[in-house]
Amino acid sequence: MTYYEKGVEKYQPEQQDPVTARKIEALKGALKDELVILGHHYQRDNVIRYADIRGDSLILSRKAAEMKKKHVVFCGVYFMAECADILSAEDQKVYLPDLQAGCSMADMADREAVEAAWEHLTSLSDATIIPVTYINSSADIKAFVGKHGGIVCTSSNAPKIFDWAMEKGDKILFFPDRYLGLNTALSKGISREEIRILDTLPDRSGIKKARVFLWNGYCSVHKYFEAEHVHALRERFPDIRIVVHGECKDEVVRESDHFGSTSTIIDLISASPKGSTWGVGTEEHLVRRLQRQYPDKTVMSLSEPGFQCATMSMITPGSLLQVLEEIRAGRNDHRIRVQNEIKSYAKTALIRMLTL
Ligand code: 13P
Ligand code: SF4
């Protein structure tokens, strides 16, 4: 088990150390003309409070592209900071407060294995295969996709990106999340017989039959949600609405009322009438925040206890403070820099998505 798979801890309301809080506020004030802090919805409460902009992966990548501030501190995980670096201007610098804060799913697709699968599929088929990568992937995988005429998607725009890819080619090769790929393909009316998970590489006839090839990756947080969790909540609360993240297993999505990105989850709950009851299948920090934000609604985790993303939780007020102190001192210890040769193709794939 890797360090980031130990993602299950009991949720504890997070304490705010007043000394650290004062220092962060003071540095934010001192750097305000040249600093922006971006925060993903899964961040700890005592970190997200400092974010100038909160969002899902799509919103934050758009903001990273628009931001003119010299220093961009990304409270999120590694691939998010890489995207910000790829999309930011030459004179901007992107920082990740903890360089160990990776994403287990992104680590499941490495360039060498992806190149080998591509070689196999394209050598045995004349069909046009469009590579699509979920944004939860390394810059190297985004570069591969950009180089081969493909595109990036997020959990917000995956259905639209599938339409684009299906129009452009005959088949899709999707990385790294088999569940987001499967849930999206099924929602587009593609049958299970036409979807092939790449646990092994298919032969010529397997390639011919498939319209969508899915890399065999998954999220080490969302994998814990089960269809039984949905059934148990529906039995206890007959009027409950269930919303889950698109990274959940297909059987969980099938039993739920809605699936989508973190923004989909937030928007649905915020727009629902007072007194609504919601079961939410996503990372625990976001679920608890929604509970506090909407005391007139009942919001609960699909499973109790909930599940936390261990790498998102690596960003702490202490690590944020350290980065701000480094910026103030003119140091770059936590800077994220994508190599130029990877950057240009990865940018092509990201810009294709952002301009759609
Ligand atoms: P969103 O783009 O929906 O915020 O998801 C990011 C993520 O890492 C979910 O696990
Ligand atoms: Fe990666 Fe899952 Fe954590 Fe999202 S929740 S950053 S997909 S491990």
Side-chain angles (χ1 to χ4, degrees), residues 21 55 187 191 214:
S187 77
S191 72
L214 301 175

Side-chain angles (χ1 to χ4, degrees), residues 42 77 79 103-105 136 219-222 247 309 311-312:
Y42 293 163
V77 289
F79 73 82
C103 162
S104 52
M105 179 200 287
N136 297 35
C219 166
S220 17
V221 177
H222 290 94
E247 292 170 9
C309 175
T311 47
M312 285 277 183

